[in-house]
Amino acid sequence: MKHKILIAGIFVASLFASCSDDYLDAPAKSTLDESVIFSSPDLASAAIDGIKIPFAETNSYRGRFLPFYGLNTDTEWYNSSQTVSDASDLCTYDAKPNNSQMNTANNSWAMSYSGIERANICIRGLRTYGNPTPGSQLGYLLGEALTLRAIYYADLVKAWGDVPGRFEPLNNATIYVGKTSRDEIYKQLIADLGEAATLVPWPGETKETTSVERINKAFVKAFRARLAMAASGYQQYPDGIRRSTDPELSVANMYALALAESRSVIASGSAHLESSFETFWKKYNQEYLVAGGESLWELPFSDGRGRMLFTFAVRHTTNDQFHANGANRGGTAGPLPTVFYDYDQKDTRRDVTCVPYKYGTAVNNIAKQELGALNTWYFGKYRYEWMTRFVTSTNDDGVNKIYMRYAEVLLIAAEAANEIEGPAAAAPYLKAVRARAFAAADQAVKVDGYVNGLTTKDAMFKALVDENKYEFTGEMERKQNLIRWNLLKAKMDEAKANMKDLSTRSGKYADVPSTLYYKFKADNVSLDIYGLNRGETTNPGTGYSSFVWTWTGAAADTKINTLYKPGVNPDNRQFWPIWQVFLDGSNGKLTNDYGY
């Protein structure tokens, strides 16, 4: 059964809300109760669960942050990017402070700070009243609170850059504060996660760490490695795109930390890749929550309180045999149409990740697959048809968000090892990821031969940039990686050129067929498609119908050009603006940078 987040009963002051001095000076009931709450493992556990509540609010992660952050890149895009709207502006690097999707007092910015305030109260209470030592339940809860706070802050920083840093509960003096350098925030988070790693057990070691919905040591260390890479990477500062100038966040320091933490996770044996890529994603959609596998931690949603499939699944036109989640569910975003053709044809990740069909209108509650268009693909990692629970909510599906998985640990280890020790040290980690992607008969060439041929640091780095693409398309991790590699605009411009070549069947896409052939399989629902692979141009014969697979003209050019808004440079729009409602409520302490 999926974990249900409990309400802690702790009151949290609303961020930037106007509060009277008398009210703020009065002792809150939660303060009077802290000595009781945070000395009791059961009560403290409920309070920690309260930190997670803001994740699931409609305008928070559930309905705003997850559906939009991470789009558009050289692998993923909002499928309506060409349509002028405030939703597309969020993805095409042209968001305004008054964006109607985001400019609300209960938006993900506010909800993140609500979660942070809850965490701050819990951290203070546990330190003051709980004696949170390694190996104790209260120690575990402190580690969990520190990690949950780090999650909120990590996402604030990657979406907005410099943001207010609040690491103590609110008081009169801290109601209105300005932005804190993200360098200082990263250092705090890295230190907090270092402490958390001493407090939380490995996956499966205790009852708390048997589920991927609870924090465990493998995730904490892996997350710390991810933040070290981000903190030392390129990013847009108010004075330009650069790496941090803080010596503590140097490449040498942070890559060494990332390599040590990722190697610690690998050596622990507490996590592993699933046997096949498809098996992993099927288990995810089946809501397999046992810790110790590939998923390290998942943002937990109750059955009717999450929108991962609602937003990203293969499109279903109506309610059908697989769900009753409503009409036109899934498919708001998808892989760029070139991505399918960029995979090696033998890479088993390709057909899991890139889906060219949707489910049509149900007849007698049965929907069949039907081909869409070359310019609109869907993420096959998210599928109602792979669920074991029948979704009936009209707004939510309840499937968790995978926040981090073991494959990323291997690729972080490879990248850090390549930088510090050279390509030979990186090779085993890259081989591990690719070995899962190719059949045993293909591994001598596609894994060993390919990786052994990467004999320079530059060649290995470029291969890792590609491997991240093949492994993580559809998980919206690409944007932050492209930013830290200083490749955001360069890769997006390359993607635009590639899409143009695909539309004209030129360059490296000259051998992509322009006609597909299809028929239904024995189940009379699933399509048997011929012509998707390069060079498949011969009519397969009786029983197949043809389908035009082209994308040309002004409509193609318009959609390609709006990968990012014409006239906008995504390198100068790496972050969203702070929304107007928060600027107005900041007592003049907050302003936007980057020309907003």
Side-chain angles (χ1 to χ4, degrees):
M1 177 179 294
K2 285 174 67 70
H3 177 66
K4 300 297 190 292
I5 296 174
L6 303 175
I7 297 177
I10 297 177
F11 176 80
V12 181
S14 298
L15 188 67
F16 298 139
S18 58
C19 304
S20 70
D21 289 346
D22 290 342
Y23 175 79
L24 286 170
D25 289 338
K29 185 175 187 296
S30 62
T31 303
L32 297 176
D33 292 342
E34 281 186 20
S35 62
V36 176
I37 293 171
F38 295 111
S39 60
S40 164
D42 288 342
L43 292 176
S45 181
I48 301 303
D49 277 340
I51 299 171
K52 306 167 194 173
I53 291 172
F55 285 131
E57 298 294 345
T58 300
N59 291 335
S60 183
Y61 279 72
R62 167 177 168 252
R64 293 296 184 271
F65 190 83
L66 295 178
F68 293 113
Y69 184 81
L71 304 170
N72 292 359
T73 68
D74 64 333
T75 65
E76 304 140 332
W77 67 357
Y78 185 57
N79 272 331
S80 298
S81 290
Q82 76 281 11
T83 302
V84 177
S85 70
D86 280 3
S88 66
D89 283 353
L90 292 170
C91 307
T92 59
Y93 300 83
D94 198 30
K96 310 296 194 305
N98 63 350
N99 184 281
S100 63
Q101 292 286 326
M102 293 292 191
N103 189 34
T104 60
N106 61 350
N107 176 251
S108 54
W109 170 286
M111 291 299 99
S112 292
Y113 278 105
S114 173
I116 288 166
E117 178 67 6
R118 291 167 182 247
N120 286 340
I121 292 171
C122 291
I123 291 165
R124 179 184 66 186
L126 287 165
R127 291 196 192 282
T128 304
Y129 304 108
N131 189 26
T133 56
S136 68
Q137 189 173 353
L138 290 174
Y140 171 78
L141 294 175
L142 175 59
E144 188 169 31
L146 288 167
T147 306
L148 291 170
R149 183 174 69 180
I151 289 165
Y152 281 117
Y153 266 122
D155 289 340
L156 282 166
V157 168
K158 79 177 183 181
W160 284 281
D162 296 334
V163 299
R166 297 176 178 275
F167 293 94
E168 296 290 340
L170 284 167
N171 58 48
N172 276 348
T174 59
I175 283 290
Y176 302 109
V177 294
K179 289 184 285 189
T180 303
S181 165
R182 79 200 67 162
D183 292 355
E184 296 304 314
I185 293 175
Y186 272 129
K187 288 193 292 185
Q188 180 71 52
L189 303 188
I190 289 167
D192 286 347
L193 293 173
E195 179 183 3
T198 70
L199 295 170
V200 302
W202 293 103
E205 280 192 342
T206 64
K207 64 182 179 65
E208 289 84 6
T209 62
T210 57
S211 168
V212 294
E213 295 186 327
R214 299 295 298 275
I215 300 300
N216 62 68
K217 193 187 298 286
F219 169 65
V220 171
K221 285 176 165 286
F223 184 37
R224 193 170 187 233
R226 177 196 279 180
L227 293 188
M229 300 296 277
S232 61
Y234 289 95
Q235 51 201 290
Q236 187 182 10
Y237 287 86
D239 61 353
I241 295 173
R242 56 174 174 80
R243 295 186 188 272
S244 171
T245 56
D246 189 315
E248 294 181 49
L249 300 181
S250 68
V251 169
N253 286 340
M254 291 294 96
Y255 274 53
L257 175 61
L259 183 57
E261 292 289 37
S262 55
R263 279 178 168 165
S264 176
V265 175
I266 293 165
S268 74
S270 65
H272 60 83
L273 294 178
E274 190 59 62
S275 58
S276 79
F277 198 68
E278 182 174 298
T279 297
F280 171 73
W281 287 102
K282 282 186 173 179
K283 290 174 76 170
Y284 162 71
N285 285 273
Q286 292 164 1
E287 299 172 299
Y288 180 82
L289 301 176
V290 178
E294 184 164 352
S295 179
L296 299 181
W297 182 74
E298 297 178 10
L299 199 159
F301 293 117
S302 62
D303 288 354
R305 202 62 183 171
R307 294 183 177 179
M308 289 304 293
L309 272 62
F310 175 99
T311 304
F312 296 120
V314 175
R315 172 63 60 90
H316 285 249
T317 306
T318 63
N319 289 336
D320 55 35
Q321 69 270 38
F322 299 113
H323 79 101
N325 206 187
N328 294 316
R329 295 304 188 229
T332 66
L336 271 59
T338 49
V339 173
F340 179 88
Y341 300 103
D342 293 340
Y343 277 97
D344 188 295
Q345 189 171 317
K346 293 185 176 182
D347 192 327
T348 61
R349 296 171 293 192
R350 183 192 70 169
D351 292 355
V352 174
T353 301
C354 304
V355 170
Y357 58 77
K358 63 181 178 180
Y359 284 83
T361 301
V363 177
N364 296 324
N365 203 46
I366 301 298
K368 298 181 180 183
Q369 293 175 1
E370 57 184 43
L371 290 168
L374 175 56
N375 69 351
T376 305
W377 291 70
Y378 303 109
F379 295 132
K381 293 175 176 177
Y382 312 100
R383 306 194 195 202
Y384 288 103
E385 50 272 31
W386 282 351
M387 293 187 72
T388 54
R389 175 170 56 84
F390 191 79
V391 177
T392 58
S393 168
T394 58
N395 289 315
D396 296 85
D397 54 76
V399 176
N400 289 347
K401 159 67 178 175
I402 296 177
Y403 197 82
M404 194 171 186
R405 55 187 180 92
Y406 184 64
E408 186 177 349
V409 177
L410 291 168
L411 291 180
I412 288 173
E415 187 180 345
N418 181 55
E419 178 65 28
I420 296 170
E421 301 170 1
Y429 307 120
L430 177 55
K431 285 182 178 181
V433 174
R434 287 184 68 83
R436 198 260 297 270
F438 291 92
D442 299 318
Q443 290 183 11
V445 174
K446 303 298 184 181
V447 180
D448 295 329
Y450 171 79
V451 176
N452 291 343
L454 303 170
T455 57
T456 67
K457 285 176 65 173
D458 184 61
M460 176 61 75
F461 172 74
K462 289 177 179 176
L464 291 170
V465 170
D466 287 342
E467 202 66 32
N468 273 273
K469 167 181 171 178
Y470 302 137
E471 184 70 25
F472 295 113
T473 290
E475 297 172 61
M476 277 54 82
E477 300 295 337
R478 185 71 167 175
K479 180 176 178 179
Q480 187 176 40
N481 283 330
L482 290 177
I483 289 170
R484 71 178 180 84
W485 292 325
N486 200 22
L487 290 175
L488 181 64
K489 184 177 186 296
K491 281 294 184 181
M492 293 179 75
D493 287 344
E494 181 182 319
K496 284 186 175 186
N498 286 342
M499 287 193 287
K500 182 63 175 177
D501 283 350
L502 175 61
S503 73
T504 59
R505 296 306 196 278
S506 58
K508 64 181 179 180
Y509 302 99
D511 59 349
V512 172
S514 57
T515 301
L516 302 183
Y517 299 90
Y518 70 94
K519 65 179 180 179
F520 287 102
K521 296 179 181 179
D523 63 6
N524 203 33
V525 169
S526 306
L527 289 175
D528 179 357
I529 306 170
Y530 178 84
L532 281 172
N533 291 323
R534 295 170 181 269
E536 290 183 345
T537 57
T538 304
N539 189 324
T542 306
Y544 284 86
S545 299
S546 63
F547 186 87
V548 175
W549 196 236
T550 57
W551 178 31
T552 59
D557 292 340
T558 296
K559 188 161 186 178
I560 291 167
N561 288 336
T562 52
L563 181 63
Y564 59 83
K565 190 71 67 70
V568 171
N569 181 348
D571 279 341
N572 294 333
R573 287 288 186 270
Q574 293 182 357
F575 304 112
W576 283 333
I578 300 172
W579 314 119
Q580 193 64 46
V581 65
F582 305 120
L583 297 177
D584 293 343
S586 71
N587 201 28
K589 295 291 186 178
L590 294 179
T591 58
N592 273 313
D593 296 303
Y594 320 119
Y596 285 112

